[in-house]
Amino acid sequence: MPQPHRPTRPALPARSARPSQRAPRPGGPAGSRAGGKRPADRPRWGVRLAAGLSVLVLGSGALGHAVMTGLDTGIQRVDPFKDMKNRPQAGHGVNFLLVGTDGRDKITAEEKREYRLGGAPCHCTDTVMLVHLSADRARASVVSLPRDSFVELPAHVDGSSGKPHGAHPVKLNAAYAEGGPQLTVRTVESMTRVKIDHYLEVDFTSFMKTVDAMGGVEICTAKTMKDPSTGLDLLPGTHRLSGGQALQYVRSRHVDGASDLGRMQRQQRFIAALIKQATGGGVLLNPVKFKQVSSTLLGSVRADRGFGSEQMLALGQAMRDFTPSSSEFASVPVGNPSFPVKGIGSTVKWDEAKAAKLFQALRDDRPLSPAPAPGKPVRRQPAVPVDVPPGQVRVQVENGTRIDGLGTRVDSALRATGFDTTRAPGNGASRDVKRTVITYDPRWDRSARTVSTALPGSEMRAVRGQGRTVVVIAGADYRKVVTVRAEDPYQGEFGVVTGDQVVCGGS
């Protein structure tokens, strides 16, 4: 039997009083139809609802006690920490375990048809996320734990049958099925050695209404997204998604070859967009709007007894300036995405060494994203999302005019935004080009579209047999290169992306 994930490092000892026990610091927060769905395509709705709840947690303080009063009444209480022993040491910051459970049994028949939510609900977690709020309340780190992760459940009593079980290997989502919230918390703490401070459990029944109450959420896509299983049908560009469309967007896994990885990336973009909408769309500063959104969402929440409106208010008061750039998203580093286990099936096996470093960073209250080079400020400028990362596009620039140095200027500007230019611009066959021309081999049309996005107004011409290098013939109309970024700009050891990198218009 292969060995399941086990922590490789002990938790850090407590170094100071927990932030959640201190007084809050002043200053800063946080037309398609859905399609059919196979059992394997259960919606990862927990990410969206967990994100919405995180937003409300981060921003509620701006409204004051008067508005918060009474919101606790909609929260169903659970006791996930009852009789727990040998827990990890507390570190700095506050850790939330956000889980999503299947709630399609609460969806109306009409909604099931419209958004293709067929199939029977399961008593299991569809999404598990660990959210760390830094001690200074300036950063939120969201780590997705794959539901199919290969783990070992601690010894426990089965919640359904009442039979005692010894420790045994399963997929992570089975922890909830066998032992509910308590076993889920025990399992995650055992895997990560990160102490959980608060447990929040949601289902997707209120997701669409919550998004609609916020006025929709703006999403950008660099390519057509069409998934017959969910009904998602988006053209390239910017879209304000309603609740139903948002559900389609985050459920879809057949829009590209990335499957669950691609769906995870879209879910992270949605979370970032939801944070941007909540912090910049007036939700947090409008008491009526805030209470409407809060009540809609909290109506389906289950939480530990220590989490309520007072905790939301304290966090919000310390995080009024929270923005998408304050958030970072990662998933557990994977060593083998299809690790076969007898009696269990295909599981996701973590890269234990990298996972240990990631969770150590959370215990140390350190950011997961790469630190900027010394003396170089972080550059945040609006950028247009593109399908192919500019660093993967080889470009040859030619000067199609009699303007001295134009080819060098265009080459330098394209290289500055990330393109792999030849650094050897030449002169074009014609020196009277009025409109910039991009020639490309049809086999590399996606790369050419990335270049075209950086040079708005340019003309694209297909040239069979040209090869992978895209040729830019600079015309008299050239003014500047528009900054572009990969639609999923993962970076660093843990594949981290910050919220401002994936929302529309950059930061």
Side-chain angles (χ1 to χ4, degrees):
M1 172 67 68
Q3 291 298 309
H5 303 303
R6 298 178 186 276
T8 59
R9 302 183 184 184
L12 292 181
R15 292 173 294 182
S16 63
R18 300 171 57 82
S20 58
Q21 296 170 336
R22 297 195 294 260
R25 293 175 42 186
S32 333
R33 299 265 178 196
K37 167 174 166 343
R38 298 176 301 182
D41 291 337
R42 289 192 184 97
R44 303 294 174 91
W45 46 265
V47 173
R48 290 106 50 196
L49 284 176
L53 184 56
S54 299
V55 170
L56 297 178
V57 167
L58 298 177
S60 58
L63 304 174
H65 288 272
V67 174
M68 299 301 296
T69 299
L71 290 183
D72 285 22
T73 57
I75 303 177
Q76 298 180 49
R77 296 298 178 181
V78 295
D79 191 1
F81 310 119
K82 183 179 180 181
D83 300 327
M84 287 184 62
K85 301 176 181 178
N86 301 317
R87 302 185 66 194
Q89 293 282 345
H92 292 283
V94 181
N95 299 311
F96 293 80
L97 185 65
L98 306 180
V99 304
T101 56
D102 195 322
R104 78 187 73 192
D105 53 327
K106 303 176 185 177
I107 294 292
T108 67
E110 181 180 356
E111 289 171 329
K112 284 183 179 181
R113 287 193 301 270
E114 183 171 4
Y115 301 111
R116 302 188 189 178
L117 295 169
C122 73
H123 185 67
C124 60
T125 54
D126 196 68
T127 299
V128 182
M129 298 198 315
L130 187 58
V131 178
H132 173 80
L133 299 180
S134 62
D136 62 6
R137 302 299 187 266
R139 182 184 70 259
S141 302
V142 181
V143 179
S144 298
L145 310 182
R147 52 169 284 173
D148 292 335
S149 295
F150 177 45
V151 302
E152 183 173 272
L153 291 186
H156 64 279
V157 175
D158 191 293
S160 300
S161 66
K163 296 180 179 179
H165 291 291
H168 61 281
V170 294
K171 294 181 180 181
L172 175 58
N173 67 336
Y176 188 92
E178 291 193 27
Q182 186 183 50
L183 186 58
T184 302
V185 170
R186 288 182 62 197
T187 302
V188 171
E189 287 193 343
S190 176
M191 295 162 63
T192 65
R193 301 310 301 163
V194 173
K195 186 175 183 180
I196 306 302
D197 301 301
H198 292 294
Y199 172 89
L200 301 175
E201 178 187 314
V202 295
D203 61 37
F204 71 81
T205 55
S206 66
F207 170 64
M208 293 182 286
K209 291 180 181 179
T210 301
V211 173
D212 287 335
M214 293 181 67
V217 174
E218 188 177 73
I219 289 293
C220 298
T221 178
K223 57 189 175 185
T224 298
M225 289 189 173
K226 191 176 183 67
D227 187 345
S229 295
T230 64
L232 179 71
D233 190 1
L234 297 178
L235 294 174
T238 300
H239 308 269
R240 180 164 291 276
L241 304 184
S242 65
Q245 293 170 321
L247 183 62
Q248 294 171 320
Y249 178 80
V250 293
R251 286 181 55 219
S252 293
R253 63 189 298 268
H254 300 298
V255 298
D256 50 34
S259 190
D260 283 338
L261 176 60
R263 174 161 58 179
M264 181 191 71
Q265 293 169 341
R266 287 185 289 279
Q267 290 167 350
Q268 292 176 342
R269 288 202 297 270
F270 185 86
I271 295 174
L274 195 63
I275 291 174
K276 181 180 180 181
Q277 174 70 11
T279 57
V283 173
L284 303 182
L285 299 178
N286 183 326
V288 175
K289 188 83 168 178
F290 175 79
K291 191 147 192 175
Q292 178 187 6
V293 173
S294 301
S295 299
T296 300
L297 181 62
L298 294 180
S300 64
V301 166
R302 295 214 302 169
D304 65 274
R305 299 184 184 280
F307 179 81
S309 60
E310 289 298 317
Q311 286 69 36
M312 292 174 68
L313 181 59
L315 288 170
Q317 287 174 334
M319 303 179 74
R320 284 190 295 269
D321 295 329
F322 198 85
T323 66
S325 63
S326 308
S327 58
E328 56 181 6
F329 305 91
S331 60
V332 176
V334 174
N336 186 343
S338 301
F339 185 64
V341 180
K342 185 177 181 180
I344 299 177
S346 180
T347 67
V348 176
K349 188 172 178 61
W350 296 359
D351 182 317
E352 295 188 11
K354 289 184 178 180
K357 289 183 179 180
L358 183 148
F359 295 120
Q360 185 70 54
L362 293 186
R363 292 193 294 269
D364 289 346
D365 199 24
R366 290 185 282 110
L368 304 178
S369 53
K376 292 186 178 181
V378 178
R379 189 165 175 248
R380 305 292 190 190
Q381 67 179 49
V384 179
V386 291
D387 187 11
V388 179
Q392 297 179 13
V393 183
R394 184 68 167 169
V395 180
Q396 170 65 50
V397 177
E398 296 181 357
N399 186 351
T401 74
R402 300 183 186 278
I403 304 172
D404 290 340
L406 178 61
T408 300
R409 285 165 46 202
V410 175
D411 182 279
S412 298
L414 287 170
R415 190 167 64 251
T417 198
F419 287 95
D420 177 23
T421 68
T422 64
R423 301 178 183 238
N427 291 323
S430 172
R431 306 301 298 275
D432 297 312
V433 176
K434 303 298 183 184
R435 180 183 177 189
T436 298
V437 175
I438 297 172
T439 66
Y440 65 97
D441 191 310
R443 293 175 297 173
W444 281 272
D445 60 324
R446 293 167 60 237
S447 295
R449 286 196 296 271
T450 290
V451 179
S452 177
T453 301
L455 294 166
S458 57
E459 177 186 348
M460 295 181 63
R461 294 179 186 171
V463 179
R464 293 188 180 278
Q466 178 172 296
R468 68 178 291 262
T469 299
V470 177
V471 177
V472 173
I473 306 171
D477 65 335
Y478 172 78
R479 294 295 179 269
K480 67 176 183 177
V481 169
V482 173
T483 303
V484 297
R485 59 168 170 79
E487 190 164 42
D488 298 301
Y490 283 84
Q491 56 177 304
E493 184 177 16
F494 307 128
V496 181
V497 62
T498 52
D500 60 316
Q501 291 176 300
V502 293
V503 294
C504 299
S507 58

